[in-house]
Amino acid sequence: IPTYNREDFVSRAIESVLKQSLAGVELIVIDDGSTDNTHELLLRRYKANEGVKLHRFSNNKGVNAARNKGVELACGEYVGFLDSDDYIYPNSLNKVMQILAAHANLEHFCFKVLDESTHKPYLLTRPQNEGVIAFDDLLSGKFDGDYAHFVRRNIFIECPFFEDFRAEENLNWYRILKEHGPAKFFDVPVVCVRRVGADSLSHSLTLDSLSKI
């Protein structure tokens, strides 16, 4: 969970992970140099919690740097990301792990994301039911929107998030699809997202940013 000035929401995100029925989840929270009370809140509520690993940047580096640090600190085989103003649905990580275990030959999994205000899929178009998402599908606009990604950690070691872009984290999903092949989409709601215009961490890709891949 990367977070920046989210004292009003970060506890909800963290608690949604801690309350999962799946045991042994490694939860890493990266404070990206918050200037509000986020850091103090995290220390007060979670410093003594063995299930939460906290790390803080002394200055704001951007969400991509925070995600890379989380990958560096992670020990698990798979990595998933959660924005600090979003949350994970109850028992969804258990469903994710069952799917990961049943498809051990796959490296990149995508799950449904729902919008908090509408409880409808937070994306424009997606594979019908369960299907493959390839690089060309996203580039052509055949599939578009937001997904909850779970990916083998070794892939992020090879393809870290572009830290020279302070946002546009979706660019890295494009690169992973291009270099490591298609992802598999599963029609299972995992994450509920809060989106409030310019306050959101998600941004559309530009032609300049696409040139990076």
Side-chain angles (χ1 to χ4, degrees):
I1 300 177
T3 187
Y4 177 70
N5 290 351
R6 283 291 190 265
E7 60 179 306
D8 293 337
F9 294 100
V10 66
S11 289
R12 182 180 69 166
I14 292 173
E15 293 297 329
S16 76
V17 178
L18 294 178
K19 292 178 180 178
Q20 292 291 309
S21 59
L22 180 67
V25 176
E26 181 184 29
L27 175 56
I28 301 170
V29 182
I30 308 297
D31 180 3
D32 188 18
S34 293
T35 57
D36 64 355
N37 293 317
T38 297
H39 177 61
E40 290 74 15
L41 181 149
L42 292 173
L43 291 179
R44 184 172 68 253
R45 295 188 180 180
Y46 302 108
K47 183 178 180 180
N49 192 318
E50 295 182 356
V52 182
K53 186 182 297 184
L54 300 176
H55 183 87
R56 186 192 189 198
F57 290 154
S58 58
N59 60 294
N60 180 253
K61 298 183 179 181
V63 65
N64 288 337
R67 286 198 171 103
N68 284 338
K69 186 63 179 182
V71 170
E72 176 188 328
L73 296 174
C75 299
E77 182 180 0
Y78 294 93
V79 176
F81 297 96
L82 179 67
D83 285 349
S84 58
D85 52 351
D86 302 337
Y87 61 89
I88 294 182
Y89 285 109
N91 198 41
S92 62
L93 288 186
N94 189 57
K95 298 175 183 177
V96 167
M97 185 54 63
Q98 291 175 357
I99 290 172
L100 266 57
H103 298 82
N105 60 312
L106 301 179
E107 296 184 317
H108 187 174
F109 301 78
C110 293
F111 296 89
K112 185 186 291 185
V113 169
L114 300 184
D115 188 297
E116 184 178 32
S117 62
T118 65
H119 294 286
K120 295 181 179 179
Y122 186 79
L123 38 79
L124 301 177
T125 56
R126 61 181 173 83
Q128 294 299 314
N129 299 317
E130 297 180 356
V132 171
I133 302 175
F135 172 71
D136 289 342
D137 294 330
L138 293 183
L139 201 62
S140 67
K142 179 180 179 181
F143 299 142
D144 193 9
D146 204 359
Y147 302 88
H149 298 261
F150 288 81
V151 184
R152 290 187 187 272
R153 180 175 175 271
N154 66 288
I155 290 181
F156 287 114
I157 301 301
E158 299 174 21
C159 299
F161 288 91
F162 294 106
E163 295 188 16
D164 47 343
F165 288 99
R166 294 181 62 83
E168 293 194 359
E169 62 270 21
N170 284 339
L171 181 63
N172 211 54
W173 304 128
Y174 279 66
R175 179 168 67 152
I176 289 173
L177 291 174
K178 181 180 180 182
E179 296 185 9
H180 289 271
K184 183 71 178 293
F185 171 77
F186 294 87
D187 196 16
V188 176
V190 172
V191 172
C192 185
V193 300
R194 169 183 174 269
R195 292 290 185 261
V196 285
D199 191 47
S200 170
L201 287 175
S202 294
H203 298 267
S204 61
L205 294 174
T206 64
L207 290 177
D208 180 63
S209 63
L210 283 172
S211 68
K212 295 285 289 188
I213 56 173

